Amino acid sequence: MDTQQMNLALVAVLQEWDPFKIGWDLYEPEIADTVVAIRDIDDPKELAEKIKSIYEFAFDESIQMEKCMDVARKLLIIKNDASCSI
């Protein structure tokens, strides 16, 4: 999986997530910020905290940490699968 394919897979997971149930198309800046963040973060807890801060800052609403952990794990699986195949 090349970088473009990985990014598309990451975006698909984040679009499906929809933490505030407002429609995936309203998260474009947050999805972009999360995809950038994942490049430098390999720890699920650290990534979950980053995701939580990105989305909560943008929407001024709280998200359960466990929901952020679930999506962080999914994203890191994609990232790790991509790096193993390169």
Side-chain angles (χ1 to χ4, degrees), residues 16-78:
E16 182 180 311
W17 184 37
D18 193 6
F20 300 117
K21 306 300 181 222
I22 59 173
W24 66 266
D25 55 333
L26 297 176
Y27 299 106
E28 288 183 24
E30 295 74 34
I31 289 172
D33 290 347
T34 302
V35 170
V36 169
I38 198 172
R39 293 180 190 158
D40 300 321
I41 301 174
D42 294 316
D43 177 67
K45 186 173 189 300
E46 184 181 347
L47 182 58
E49 289 170 353
K50 182 67 174 178
I51 292 167
K52 184 171 173 60
S53 71
I54 289 169
Y55 281 78
E56 287 183 349
F57 177 78
F59 291 91
D60 198 28
E61 287 188 50
S62 183
I63 303 176
Q64 292 178 350
M65 186 61 173
E66 189 54 43
K67 291 183 179 186
C68 296
M69 281 295 293
D70 290 343
V71 78
R73 288 184 191 110
K74 290 177 184 178
L75 296 172
L76 288 173
I77 288 170
I78 293 168

